[in-house]
Amino acid sequence: MTTVRRAVLTLPAAQLGPDNPLPALRLLGGGATGAANGAPTVPAAPALPPTHPTHPIPGVDGHDRDRIPRDMARQLGRAPLRTLLPAPVRDGYGRERVPTVLDTIEIENELLRVTVLPGLGGRVHALLHKPTGRELLYRNPVLQPAAFALNGAWFSGGIEWNIGARGHSTLSCAPLHAAVVPAPDGGRMLRLWEWERLRDLPFQVDLWLPDGAEHLRVGIRIRNPHERAVPCYWWSNTAVPEDRRVLAPADEAWHFGYEHALRRVPVPRTEDGTDRTYPLRSTHAADYFYALPDGQRRWIAAVDERGDGLVQTSTDGLLGRKLFLWGTGRGGRRWQEWLTEPGTPGYAEIQAGLARTQLEHPPLEAGEEVSWLEVYGPLTADPAAAHGPDWAVARASVEDALEAVLPRAEVDAAYEQWRAVAADAEPGPSLATGSGWGALEVLRGGYELPGTPFSEELLGEEQRPWLALLRTGALPDADADADARADGGDGVAAKVTAPARPGATLVSDAWRDMLETAPADAVTEYHLGIAQWAAGDLAQAVRSWERGLKNAAARWPLLYCLAVADREGGHPQRAAERYAEAFEEQYGGDPVVTAALGREAVSVLLETGCVAEARGVLSRLPEDVRARGAFRHLEARLLLAEGRKGEARAVFDAGFEVPDLREGAEELGDLWSRITDEPLPAAYDFRMRPS
């Protein structure tokens, strides 16, 4: 019988570390350099901790614009994120890996063993076909976070679930709720669920293996409990070994690369005659969104030279299919090394999504939900046909093999059965616990969400101030708490040397309304300003922060917010002054805040020509902080600004690694080119675009 059980897995892993304590205020969009697959980037202020804004809508030439389907055109660029609020930036990880025990959940029958990481976004880490001993996925031998998620930390390998907005989910390295639920066939099923905070949407992922089945079923549902339409996004990304041929039932694809052009190209061979269905035949990283005809069965597969591989198929609601490849260029190979162990095989991704491309965010209407069924498992096709020169024959060989082992009607019937008897089933005892944000939203909104309970017992310390606001109409007075902690016992408040962090924030309309009617202390003005900023009312946000600053015991959070507002508003000199003041205000306090503020302050001071002031801030950081790769990069920038080019070169020669380099990052190469005309060393070459 199929079993669902807890287990553990030991991997060399870099620890995630603390989240960035500064709110993710950076405005998104403009000047991005990444492809649609991963975390977008902003080239300005390269040393700032990444907040991964979404890409601008790509340029589409007149010929291709005429070929965009009308519904796709309507959805391109719909409702882009303004910021990443309320999600925190996750940049506390490094590059040192140590053996780490990870909690897993295993789903197993006589043919397949599925390993799930509930504490890391519910990632399917492994999919082992027991009769042949073949691992069907690209299984990363290490856990190395990198700055590919919208909010930072992400890792490669397996099957990941991406919800929210274009890019890898903010939940990539976050825990999900997990429990056993009765499966549609009467067996046992694993349910994962959580509340996605960027779009304020609850979702669930149900995974089960019927007895005797060698294909994993995955039922997914996203619900909109609000009284307004919400932009919706979902892409399931599956990493596969890159020495495969990727096949999908399409003769054309939308190509999107680091040039930001969405072009319709033929499949399998593009205009230059290269067969792009083999990832290792491309030089540069790119996305290929396949233009599947209406009515066509939805599937995508990756098969090796023997015709063996992995197939993913679904009900028709999961519309899109995509290939992401790194290519063979030096930058792409460097990224492959960066994400795993050098010398290990690379990977590509086969993906499936709600829209034709990842540039679209279709609306989910008020009170509505969207659901579908995905299936993953082994496939064996005729190798001569699957790798033959006739694309129609190659596609047909894979589709025929799929239909033979998993008929389309069987997938549709499994979906209907899951929706009818299992999707709303209440979970059993917990196997893993996610966040308390869903519990807070359910308590506030009074939502009924059968199958995905968000009980009050899940509320934690992060939600405590917001629960107080909901019940009493006021946030706890953190300033008074800080004064009390600073009181030496004689009733006289001493200087607060370690002011508390302001804590997590909420920005939706409902919470903003409550903040606007709450007593206007400094903490409330801080959070109100952030909510106003997220809503696009930038001027009012600044007024709230300025009001809060007048009576704040801990001034640095408000100074930081005002500094970002000045920088985004085109006042760089005033921004630099406020960054420096915020750093001075909290200096000697929370070391995580000191490092985060110091990193931003030095970068902004350098941008505004305040070289001596930048040196002053950097020199005051603790030695262990200055030894980190990101700060060695800052040191090289600062030395160059001081005219000490040889010493800046020496920083590169000594070697450093910036753990949270963003996908498509070019700042290391740009800095090197200002120091020397010599070729950029391979260790620093993360450039993804053609020269």
Side-chain angles (χ1 to χ4, degrees):
M1 293 182 62
T2 299
T3 60
V4 180
R5 61 181 180 272
R6 286 192 183 99
V8 295
L9 171 70
T10 300
L11 283 180
Q15 306 308 298
L16 284 170
D19 289 346
N20 193 307
L22 310 177
L25 296 176
R26 293 281 300 280
L27 298 179
L28 306 185
T33 58
N37 177 63
T41 65
V42 170
L48 288 178
T51 52
H52 305 292
T54 54
H55 300 296
I57 299 307
V60 181
D61 63 42
H63 177 261
D64 280 349
R65 183 181 296 277
D66 293 339
R67 303 176 69 191
I68 296 177
R70 189 168 298 179
D71 60 334
M72 177 177 162
R74 285 195 300 268
Q75 291 177 173
L76 287 174
R78 178 194 295 270
L81 294 175
R82 292 188 53 80
T83 71
L84 292 177
L85 294 166
V89 172
R90 311 203 72 181
D91 61 359
Y93 51 87
R95 298 279 303 165
E96 181 181 354
R97 296 190 285 266
V98 297
T100 302
V101 177
L102 303 173
D103 290 329
T104 69
I105 299 172
E106 291 185 347
I107 311 166
E108 185 172 8
N109 67 7
E110 60 270 39
L111 298 176
L112 208 63
R113 182 187 305 135
V114 185
T115 303
V116 179
L117 302 175
L120 294 165
R123 181 82 57 100
V124 176
H125 176 69
L127 199 62
L128 178 68
H129 187 235
K130 294 166 64 175
T132 61
R134 286 193 292 121
E135 173 54 57
L136 302 178
L137 307 173
Y138 167 76
R139 184 181 185 273
N140 198 331
V142 305
L143 176 60
Q144 177 56 63
F148 280 54
L150 285 163
N151 64 334
W154 170 88
F155 62 103
S156 65
I159 307 171
E160 60 175 299
W161 319 112
N162 292 302
I163 182 174
R166 180 155 50 100
H168 297 281
S169 171
T170 60
L171 297 170
S172 294
C173 289
L176 304 188
H177 302 288
V180 173
V181 179
D185 62 352
R188 291 157 63 82
M189 177 171 73
L190 172 64
R191 174 162 298 157
L192 306 167
W193 73 100
E194 191 41 288
W195 194 282
E196 198 282 317
R197 300 182 69 201
L198 291 183
R199 301 298 195 184
D200 255 350
L201 297 176
F203 69 97
Q204 71 188 74
V205 180
D206 290 352
L207 306 98
W208 78 97
L209 274 173
D211 289 343
E214 62 178 3
H215 292 84
L216 173 69
R217 276 71 167 166
V218 184
I220 299 174
R221 174 166 63 173
I222 306 172
R223 291 189 272 202
N224 177 11
H226 307 294
E227 296 180 353
R228 67 185 189 284
V230 177
C232 191
Y233 178 95
W234 184 281
W235 280 79
S236 303
N237 292 8
T238 304
V240 294
E242 64 183 350
D243 60 344
R244 302 287 191 267
R245 189 179 202 187
V246 173
L247 301 101
D251 292 317
E252 292 184 303
W254 294 98
H255 170 273
F256 186 71
Y258 288 76
E259 306 87 352
H260 307 145
L262 190 65
R263 298 184 297 110
R264 193 149 179 162
V265 299
V267 175
R269 286 178 170 80
T270 52
E271 296 92 333
D272 63 359
T274 303
D275 188 339
R276 306 292 180 180
T277 62
Y278 291 92
L280 289 173
R281 295 185 185 178
S282 290
T283 303
H284 299 289
D287 301 327
Y288 291 91
F289 298 101
Y290 293 110
L292 276 64
D294 292 341
Q296 167 65 51
R297 183 177 186 179
R298 264 49 195 171
W299 61 267
I300 189 168
V303 298
D304 63 19
E305 71 280 356
R306 297 180 302 275
D308 297 328
L310 172 80
V311 67
Q312 188 273 359
T313 187
S314 72
T315 49
D316 290 351
L318 197 63
L319 191 65
R321 292 299 185 276
K322 172 190 153 185
L323 163 65
F324 167 75
L325 55 85
W326 284 105
T328 58
R330 198 163 76 149
R333 304 330 291 172
R334 182 68 179 105
W335 276 116
Q336 293 265 34
E337 293 177 351
W338 189 253
L339 298 173
T340 184
E341 289 284 4
T344 58
Y347 75 96
E349 287 186 358
I350 57 175
Q351 306 181 9
L354 279 178
R356 288 182 176 89
T357 72
Q358 289 170 334
L359 311 177
E360 303 164 71
H361 296 76
L364 186 57
E365 298 300 327
E368 297 297 320
E369 62 181 56
V370 60
S371 62
W372 63 92
L373 182 75
E374 302 183 39
V375 183
Y376 297 83
L379 180 99
T380 298
D382 176 3
H387 289 274
D390 190 318
W391 177 240
V393 171
R395 281 174 22 202
S397 70
V398 173
E399 187 155 357
D400 290 347
L402 172 60
E403 187 67 19
V405 297
L406 193 66
R408 184 178 188 178
E410 183 178 324
V411 174
D412 292 341
Y415 168 71
E416 296 298 337
Q417 187 182 20
W418 168 70
R419 288 293 287 121
V421 304
D424 287 346
E426 288 304 307
S430 173
L431 296 178
T433 304
S435 78
W437 295 113
L440 185 66
E441 292 300 331
V442 167
L443 194 63
R444 181 197 60 77
Y447 303 128
E448 296 290 336
L449 300 169
T452 54
F454 294 97
S455 62
E456 286 192 47
E457 290 76 14
L458 297 170
L459 294 168
E461 189 61 26
E462 282 191 310
Q463 292 81 42
R464 184 185 65 83
W466 300 96
L467 183 62
L469 176 64
L470 181 64
R471 289 177 169 168
T472 69
L475 287 170
D477 189 346
D479 285 350
D481 291 345
D483 288 342
R485 287 194 303 273
D487 193 316
D490 57 2
V492 178
K495 175 179 173 56
V496 180
T497 58
R501 300 184 196 178
T505 197
L506 290 169
V507 300
S508 70
D509 293 349
W511 291 106
R512 187 174 74 251
D513 290 345
M514 281 186 268
L515 289 167
E516 286 176 344
T517 59
D521 58 29
V523 173
T524 301
E525 296 286 12
Y526 166 82
H527 286 293
L528 175 58
I530 291 176
Q532 292 164 333
W533 181 268
D537 193 350
L538 309 188
Q540 188 57 55
V542 169
R543 285 191 285 270
S544 295
W545 292 328
E546 288 176 340
R547 286 195 304 268
L549 193 61
K550 295 176 181 178
N551 299 307
R555 302 174 72 248
W556 70 261
L558 293 148
L559 287 168
Y560 171 77
C561 292
L562 290 168
V564 174
D566 283 334
R567 192 167 185 276
E568 297 286 353
H571 304 288
Q573 197 64 47
R574 192 167 66 198
E577 293 169 0
R578 279 177 160 158
Y579 269 111
E581 187 179 357
F583 178 81
E584 181 66 33
E585 173 74 21
Q586 62 76 51
Y587 184 74
D590 188 326
V592 178
V593 175
T594 299
L597 263 179
R599 186 179 180 185
E600 291 205 28
V602 170
S603 185
V604 173
L605 287 165
L606 279 173
E607 290 171 12
T608 53
C610 302
V611 178
E613 291 83 352
R615 173 61 69 188
V617 170
L618 188 60
S619 65
R620 296 179 67 192
L621 293 172
E623 184 177 351
D624 65 314
V625 172
R626 287 185 281 116
R628 299 175 192 168
F631 292 87
R632 297 303 295 157
H633 178 221
L634 278 180
E635 174 69 18
R637 290 180 61 198
L638 183 53
L639 287 167
L640 182 63
E642 291 170 334
R644 300 154 68 183
K645 187 176 291 188
E647 293 174 73
R649 166 65 184 266
V651 174
F652 277 87
D653 291 342
F656 64 90
E657 292 182 325
V658 181
D660 60 338
L661 275 178
R662 302 179 296 278
E663 182 181 4
E666 298 182 354
E667 53 260 37
L668 298 183
D670 291 344
L671 180 58
W672 175 267
S673 67
R674 294 167 58 201
I675 295 172
T676 177
D677 293 332
E678 296 178 26
L680 178 65
Y684 301 111
D685 193 350
F686 294 89
R687 298 170 296 187
M688 301 298 294
R689 294 185 290 180
S691 299

